[in-house]
C-alpha cells in the first residue's frame, strides 16, 4: 500500500508545472531563492531596457554602501 501511495505522489508531482513570474523567472520560496528570483526579474527588465536603447542603472550593495553603475 505504501508503495502505491508513493507511486501516486510521484506521478502527481511529475505532472505539476513549475511556477514562474510573468517575466519567466522561477519562483523560489527560500530566502536565497527569493534573492535569485529578484535578480532574475531585475536582469529581465535591464535587458529589456538595453534592447529598447534606454540607459540602465545597476545598483549593488558593497559593504555598508550601495554602488550604482550606469551602463
Amino acid at each position: 500500500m505504501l508503495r502505491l501511495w508513493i507511486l501516486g505522489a510521484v506521478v502527481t508531482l511529475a505532472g505539476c508545472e513549475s511556477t514562474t513570474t510573468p517575466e519567466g523567472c522561477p519562483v523560489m520560496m527560500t530566502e536565497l531563492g527569493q534573492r535569485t528570483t529578484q535578480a532574475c526579474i531585475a536582469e529581465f527588465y535591464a535587458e529589456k531596457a538595453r534592447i529598447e536603447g534606454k540607459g540602465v542603472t545597476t545598483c549593488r550593495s558593497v559593504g555598508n554602501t550601495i554602488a550604482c553603475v550606469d551602463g
Side-chain angles (χ1 to χ4, degrees):
M1 182 67 177
L2 179 61
R3 289 182 185 179
L4 183 59
W5 184 84
I6 292 172
L7 177 62
V10 169
V11 170
T12 301
L13 290 174
C16 295
E17 294 181 28
S18 62
T19 305
T20 58
T21 65
E23 296 83 6
C25 299
V27 174
M28 300 181 189
M29 301 309 290
T30 64
E31 186 177 337
L32 179 60
Q34 289 174 357
R35 290 184 199 154
T36 302
T37 299
Q38 292 302 318
C40 176
I41 292 169
E43 185 58 33
F44 172 85
Y45 286 109
E47 186 61 28
K48 183 178 176 184
R50 284 186 196 100
I51 290 170
E52 294 172 356
K54 298 177 182 174
V56 177
T57 302
T58 304
C59 298
R60 291 193 169 84
S61 296
V62 179
N64 294 332
T65 63
I66 295 178
C68 295
V69 179
D70 292 332

